[in-house]
Amino acid sequence: MANIWLHLGLGSFHRAHQAYAFNQLLEQGLQDWHFEAGNIRDDAEATVQGLLKQNLHYTLETVSPEGERKFFTIKSLSKVVPYAPGLPELIAEGAKADTKVISFTVTEAGYYLDNTLKLQQDQDAIATDLKGGTATIYGVIAHILKARLEQGSGDVTLLCCDNVRENGDKFAHGLTEFLTLTGQQDVLKFMQEHTTCPNTMVDRITPRPASDLSAEIKKLAGIDDCVPVMSEAFFQWVIEDKFKTVRPPLEKAGVQMVDSVMAYEDAKLRILNASHTCLALLGVIKGYNFVFECARDPELYQLTYNYVTNSVIPCIKGHGIDVEAYRDEVLNRFKNDHIRDTLQRICQDSFSKLISFVQPTLFDCYRLGVDASGVVLIPALYLNFLFYLKDGKVPFAYQDSSFDQQWADSVTSAADPVAAYASTALLFGELANSATFLKDLKERYAFVQGFAKTH
């Protein structure tokens, strides 16, 4: 029997990233692994049905900043599991003894952890799962581990592939609390003895497939495909080599297996992900629709460049990465006008992104005495975005599973909105009580207001 790698979250990123790597392994003759996938929510079933019509095959188009296009037929998926309430088939797949790795991409907001790494029990999805549901990754994995315990299925690696700092550690922390809150001490003991949760770093800009992508691929490559996906040519996947049991030879697909991912993820989250958010929030002010428009705007480019150069690099220099070269590569990737990544996608979950991507640099700047003006710009932009939402000036539907409308209303209606915003401990930790931070935030917000008036 072949070993099984099961992925939860059959979205565009998985199909352009992990499934792409698996496809390379299969093309090199790998025979002892099957790669399966399914969703824990019912909002992507069109993709599942499309894949079922196409023998689970699909086209990946990659485009470099120079416009070089390549087309790959991805055949790595051996099984996709259609969504069903309660996820019985998906849980059964995860419970099989042959399933050795369970990975997942549920977005940064899908981990429901507050600033102290406590589960946000007031969130509807977490509340549902604490009562036995399967609305979050914790509920699903808890059901899978319980089934593995009952069936004697043995060891399994749980692999988070989302843009969360120390993602494996944080997922394990959240799952431990979840199992404790639900009184599943037997499952918790099984988790502690029979699983590992390696940290990872993933990187490949993958926009939501445009409505005309199928027609474009038919025109350019002569391929009929109802569920293609496209991404940039750049690919990176860094994983701590701490698998609990067997794993595929991922190195043969260009995956970097390392002792620690911290330096890689630190650079990526602070430089790429935070810059993405910075550009997108700036772009909303100027009425842009796509990231490449923002990156090609000299004014927006310079503000983002200054954020990285003046706030990030002084905090992370010496981590073993050429951060100046990485900065330049990232900002050049953003200029790729073939990757029509929407501001709507990048702006989604901005509340969680401030915590994951911006907060560490914010804290470091004040702790180390580094110029904080570049990084304070980003929360100032988000405060402006809150007012745009209130005034109906955001030209797209804003999705944010961690967004608290009552909190947003209290901020935007306060006598001193900047002070009310700055006091949000979940976003700003100890800085919520800092007069220096409040002064800096007011200065940067005044700059943003002036910027918005002139654009």
Side-chain angles (χ1 to χ4, degrees), residues 99 193 225 314 357:
T99 300
E193 295 177 355
D225 193 325
F357 307 156

Side-chain angles (χ1 to χ4, degrees), residues 277 281 349-360 378-380 382-383 421 427-428:
T277 296
L281 294 174
D349 294 325
S350 284
F351 190 94
S352 299
K353 289 174 179 178
L354 284 183
I355 297 172
S356 297
F357 307 156
V358 179
Q359 206 179 73
I378 304 177
Y382 186 60
L383 177 56
Y421 178 61
L427 288 178
F428 305 119

